[in-house]
Amino acid sequence: MKYGKITEGTLQTLEVEKGVQVGGKLTEEEIIAQGYKPVCEVEQPSDAEFCVYREYDVCFVQIWKRTGEEVQEDEIWTAESGVMPKYSDLERLKKDVAMVNEIIGTLNLTNKEALSVKEFYPEWSADSVQVKKGEKYQHVNKLYEADQDHVTQENWSPDKMSSLWHEVTDHAGTLEDPIPYNEDMNPWWQGMILEEGKYYTQSGVVYKCIRGTGNKVIQNLADLVSGGFVQKV
């Protein structure tokens, strides 16, 4: 079920499944209490090109448009419309992006979800930014999560300080999808915690963790075999 609400001239929508917001924490009752109304969507006709929405007292209704049909003043364009927007639509999109940038850190996204929208996360900056544990930042086209509170500085970037950060990945840690372990042989590498039962890969070789490390380790996986932490697959 989808719910919608007009915020600063833009239709904001939330998906609800089994009474809970998809990708979030709100219940259906809380969403309705915040002024959201049901969004009624219909199957796309074979000759329709794009869709808009129209607001009514109790709901929003999806309207499919055919070639040549114009968007009316009381109809709401969205990114799903499939047609080039007007300038006013672009203004609304700009507000949408600003809103997402502001709240994305509060959303309970999975790693896979976070990576699919990583461009909405803030860029890491060395300008004394107060970072909280669990916050995510973009850096050198990767997404990182902070492992502890700290204030940023030039030589503490996420790619150089794995004692403060870890890269967000969506690898399952299975034999078919092992977790990369310092594949770049980064000289600044400061370790990773290995979890028992998960699979890791380095230099084209796959290893299974047979004893969790508990703390971050910096040795190459090949060197951890003799210590009984991993075994070569």
Side-chain angles (χ1 to χ4, degrees):
M1 182 66 185
K2 183 180 288 186
Y3 285 85
K5 178 182 178 181
I6 298 293
T7 304
E8 296 183 353
T10 302
L11 176 61
Q12 311 291 342
T13 61
L14 297 175
E15 292 277 359
V16 172
E17 187 175 294
K18 296 181 180 179
V20 180
Q21 176 189 358
V22 176
K25 300 179 180 179
L26 297 176
T27 65
E28 189 169 15
E29 291 77 11
E30 289 172 332
I31 289 171
I32 294 172
Q34 290 183 13
Y36 284 83
K37 297 185 289 190
V39 177
C40 302
E41 298 184 320
V42 296
E43 184 177 352
Q44 179 180 359
S46 59
D47 59 345
E49 266 200 327
F50 64 96
C51 70
V52 293
Y53 293 87
R54 181 172 291 162
E55 183 178 15
Y56 293 91
D57 289 340
V58 295
C59 66
F60 292 93
V61 175
Q62 184 183 47
I63 300 171
W64 286 99
K65 296 282 189 175
R66 294 167 174 80
T67 303
E69 286 189 88
E70 296 183 355
V71 178
Q72 304 301 311
E73 289 298 323
D74 62 343
E75 293 174 341
I76 305 164
W77 181 91
T78 73
E80 300 172 352
S81 295
V83 66
M84 290 300 292
K86 298 178 294 185
Y87 176 71
S88 59
D89 295 320
L90 293 176
E91 286 186 308
R92 289 198 296 269
L93 283 175
K94 185 177 179 180
K95 292 178 181 177
D96 282 349
V97 171
M99 182 200 71
V100 172
N101 290 152
E102 184 177 347
I103 69 170
I104 193 166
T106 67
L107 303 179
N108 186 26
L109 302 183
T110 64
N111 283 357
K112 183 175 182 179
E113 292 168 339
L115 287 169
S116 70
V117 294
K118 68 178 181 181
E119 62 272 17
F120 292 113
Y121 285 91
E123 289 277 0
W124 180 85
S125 168
D127 298 333
S128 300
V129 177
Q130 179 67 56
V131 175
K132 298 293 185 182
K133 180 180 178 180
E135 291 182 339
K136 297 181 177 67
Y137 285 79
Q138 295 183 70
H139 184 61
V140 293
N141 202 35
K142 293 182 178 180
L143 187 64
Y144 292 87
E145 180 176 331
D147 292 329
Q148 56 181 290
D149 296 357
H150 66 279
V151 177
T152 64
Q153 59 185 54
E154 186 63 41
N155 59 341
W156 284 5
S157 61
D159 60 323
K160 295 179 180 178
M161 289 295 289
S162 59
S163 60
L164 296 176
W165 301 88
H166 70 269
E167 183 184 349
V168 177
T169 69
D170 63 346
H171 296 281
T174 61
L175 180 60
E176 297 76 17
D177 187 21
I179 299 168
Y181 179 94
N182 195 19
E183 289 281 26
D184 299 332
M185 295 297 181
N186 186 345
W188 295 93
W189 173 254
Q190 293 180 321
M192 177 186 289
I193 296 175
L194 301 182
E195 298 181 46
E196 184 175 345
K198 289 195 174 182
Y199 292 80
Y200 299 82
T201 180
Q202 186 180 36
S203 301
V205 181
V206 177
Y207 300 82
K208 180 181 180 181
C209 178
I210 56 177
R211 179 158 62 99
T213 61
N215 298 305
K216 291 184 177 181
V217 290
I218 61 174
Q219 296 91 335
N220 290 328
L221 291 178
D223 298 328
L224 292 173
V225 173
S226 60
F229 290 100
V230 299
Q231 63 183 20
K232 186 176 178 181
V233 176

